[in-house]
Amino acid sequence: MGERVGSRQGEKGLIIAIDGPAGVGKSTVARLLALRLGYLYLDTGALYRAVAWKVREAGLSPDDRAAITALLPETTLRMECGPELVHVFVDGRDVTGELRTPGVTALASMVSAIPAVREWLLPVQREIGASGSVVAEGRDIGTRVFPKADIKFFLEADADIRATRRHRELVAAGHSVQFDQTKRDLTGRDDRDRSRTVGPLMPAPDAERIDTSSMPAETVVEQMMAVITAKL
Ligand code: DC
């Protein structure tokens, strides 16, 4: 289900977990960190987005949990991971370029609240990360996917700052959206992430918490590297 491309051979490196809400800078720092360490970057949000893509393709309502659950065993998901490169295939089709549209983003937030979806994605994530040398990023990595991760970070930032970052990304990608709408969508997804019964967004008790509100990504990475170097 998962495939490691260009990973380190013959050396079991660390599993590094990075969790936090949307727009906090997880993807940017996870990618930078993976590059610095020569590790794989595991973007678990892309897996939830891939399921959402399939749900949309099948024409299912996000409320139809029974139909979505029935769709899972008929679905083949494959992810190619490298330090930067992430390709996601659903039933053999490369859907990477279609995963970050506002429609798929909204749907991913809804399908990720379905316990059967989270259960189905657990072995996919664990298979990719199990052999170590991985920086895995998501919402429940340190609490559920890799509760024994060697190092856990939980990133936080003010909601206005997160919405500003997300709005800038959307505009740069050619989407015409208002800032207020972006902020409403983002806080709505946060609420859903925090309140779901399975794998809710929360810091693991042993996670290092970093507030990224006024820190550029490079500074966050330096702070993380200091923690990691002490462990290596
Ligand atoms: O990180 P992202 O925005 O690409 O994630 C897409 C959606 O998937 C988001 O609504 C939260 C959800 N998600 C999750 O529930 N658990 C994860 N480990 C990763 C993402």
Side-chain angles (χ1 to χ4, degrees), residues 41-116:
Y41 162 54
L42 170 54
D43 173 4
T44 62
L47 295 170
Y48 286 93
R49 288 169 183 273
V51 172
W53 182 92
K54 172 91 184 226
V55 166
R56 195 185 57 177
E57 191 76 355
L60 300 179
S61 152
D63 297 323
D64 193 347
R65 292 188 166 200
I68 293 173
T69 303
L71 193 70
L72 298 172
E74 303 166 8
T75 304
T76 322
L77 215 58
R78 192 164 67 82
M79 193 178 208
E80 287 178 0
C81 298
E84 243 192 327
L85 148 113
V86 175
H87 276 276
V88 185
F89 299 83
V90 178
D91 303 327
R93 173 167 161 191
D94 187 348
V95 298
T96 317
E98 298 168 55
L99 298 182
R100 309 206 71 86
T101 61
V104 170
T105 299
L107 202 50
S109 173
M110 291 183 250
V111 304
S112 68
I114 303 174

Side-chain angles (χ1 to χ4, degrees), residues 15-19 134-137 141-142 146 149 151-154:
I15 295 181
I16 300 173
I18 304 180
D19 290 303
V134 67
V135 180
E137 169 239 313
I141 308 301
F146 296 117
I151 303 178
K152 300 175 185 177
F153 295 104
F154 191 86

Side-chain angles (χ1 to χ4, degrees), residues 84-229:
E84 243 192 327
L85 148 113
V86 175
H87 276 276
V88 185
F89 299 83
V90 178
D91 303 327
R93 173 167 161 191
D94 187 348
V95 298
T96 317
E98 298 168 55
L99 298 182
R100 309 206 71 86
T101 61
V104 170
T105 299
L107 202 50
S109 173
M110 291 183 250
V111 304
S112 68
I114 303 174
V117 170
R118 306 200 70 82
E119 210 55 52
W120 190 72
L121 283 177
L122 261 185
V124 180
Q125 299 168 82
R126 287 183 178 153
E127 189 194 324
I128 299 170
S131 41
S133 302
V134 67
V135 180
E137 169 239 313
R139 305 293 190 286
D140 60 345
I141 308 301
T143 51
R144 189 147 192 267
V145 180
F146 296 117
K148 294 194 176 143
D150 300 283
I151 303 178
K152 300 175 185 177
F153 295 104
F154 191 86
L155 305 188
E156 297 163 293
D158 175 80
D160 270 316
I161 291 176
R162 293 190 289 115
T164 304
R165 288 176 186 159
R166 189 42 54 93
H167 185 246
R168 208 179 294 141
E169 276 169 23
L170 285 169
V171 171
H175 300 290
S176 100
V177 276
Q178 298 295 316
F179 172 77
D180 287 353
Q181 185 61 48
T182 305
K183 187 176 170 193
R184 260 197 306 280
D185 291 348
L186 182 126
T187 51
R189 291 201 304 276
D190 279 359
D191 290 344
R192 247 195 307 269
D193 281 342
R194 290 197 168 100
S195 62
R196 68 178 163 238
T197 48
V198 180
L201 170 68
M202 64 163 132
D206 51 345
E208 185 92 19
R209 293 166 80 145
I210 302 177
D211 190 320
T212 70
S213 300
S214 54
M215 257 196 257
E218 291 72 18
T219 312
V220 179
V221 171
E222 289 312 322
Q223 208 163 309
M224 290 173 150
M225 280 304 291
V227 176
I228 295 163
T229 315

